[in-house]
Amino acid sequence: ASFAHHSPARVRRLVLIGPTGGQAIKLLQLIKSNASSEDSNIPDYVQNYLDPYQVQMRYRGFKRALISSFRCGMLGEFTQLYRQVGEYHRPVLLVWGEKDATVCAGDMQRVRACFPRAEYISIPDAEHLAHFDKPQKVHPLLIGFLRRPSAQ
């Protein structure tokens, strides 16, 4: 969203999947909220949370980009930025996994309110990384959205 805000002429369409930013998230709270009450072994949970990233971690530069994202406030509150980007007249698609433990339903509603013209798709049985978790459902939606002719 930040790139779309700073370089609007370079962005024709915007897709946000499981967008954080409806409110600020503290990483330790995120980890604890995802660990079950019987689960006192948080390090194992952290490893499970990171498993979807293992393929991406093999790509040169991904780890550095992820660390940079955390340093730049990836888990901050972005509603002001989202509202500004939501004012632009470009197609926006918001995708959310209904079992997302990172972006709760209330946070997703706050994000949706910032993009009044956006298409919104919730994916049943998908978690935060819906495009990894349910690629057979998410990928055709993404391809269809990105290939759709622009209104002139």
Side-chain angles (χ1 to χ4, degrees), residues 13-17 91-98 119-124 126 130-131 134-149:
R13 296 179 180 281
L14 179 64
V15 176
L16 299 174
I17 301 174
V92 175
L93 175 63
L94 302 174
V95 179
W96 180 67
E98 292 180 7
E119 292 181 47
Y120 170 73
I121 299 171
S122 65
I123 308 296
H131 53 306
K134 300 292 180 193
Q136 70 282 6
K137 292 182 180 178
V138 176
H139 293 177
L141 298 170
L142 294 176
I143 292 167
F145 176 77
L146 295 171
R147 285 186 175 164
R148 192 177 309 147

Side-chain angles (χ1 to χ4, degrees), residues 77-98:
E77 189 268 333
F78 302 119
T79 53
Q80 181 177 354
L81 171 66
Y82 287 162
R83 277 190 208 97
Q84 291 170 338
V85 174
E87 291 174 4
Y88 297 134
H89 291 280
R90 78 166 62 78
V92 175
L93 175 63
L94 302 174
V95 179
W96 180 67
E98 292 180 7

Side-chain angles (χ1 to χ4, degrees), residues 40-55:
S40 61
N41 196 350
I42 291 178
D44 286 345
Y45 177 75
V46 171
Q47 184 58 48
N48 291 339
Y49 190 76
L50 295 176
D51 281 345
Y53 287 102
Q54 294 307 311
V55 172

Side-chain angles (χ1 to χ4, degrees), residues 2-61:
S2 182
F3 182 83
H5 175 63
H6 294 292
S7 303
R10 299 184 73 189
V11 178
R12 287 184 290 199
R13 296 179 180 281
L14 179 64
V15 176
L16 299 174
I17 301 174
T20 61
Q23 66 179 351
I25 299 172
K26 294 189 172 141
L27 189 56
L28 185 57
Q29 289 174 333
L30 173 67
I31 292 168
K32 286 180 179 179
S33 72
N34 285 295
S36 68
S37 58
E38 298 92 35
D39 183 8
S40 61
N41 196 350
I42 291 178
D44 286 345
Y45 177 75
V46 171
Q47 184 58 48
N48 291 339
Y49 190 76
L50 295 176
D51 281 345
Y53 287 102
Q54 294 307 311
V55 172
Q56 292 179 2
M57 294 291 239
R58 294 182 195 142
Y59 291 100
R60 183 178 175 185

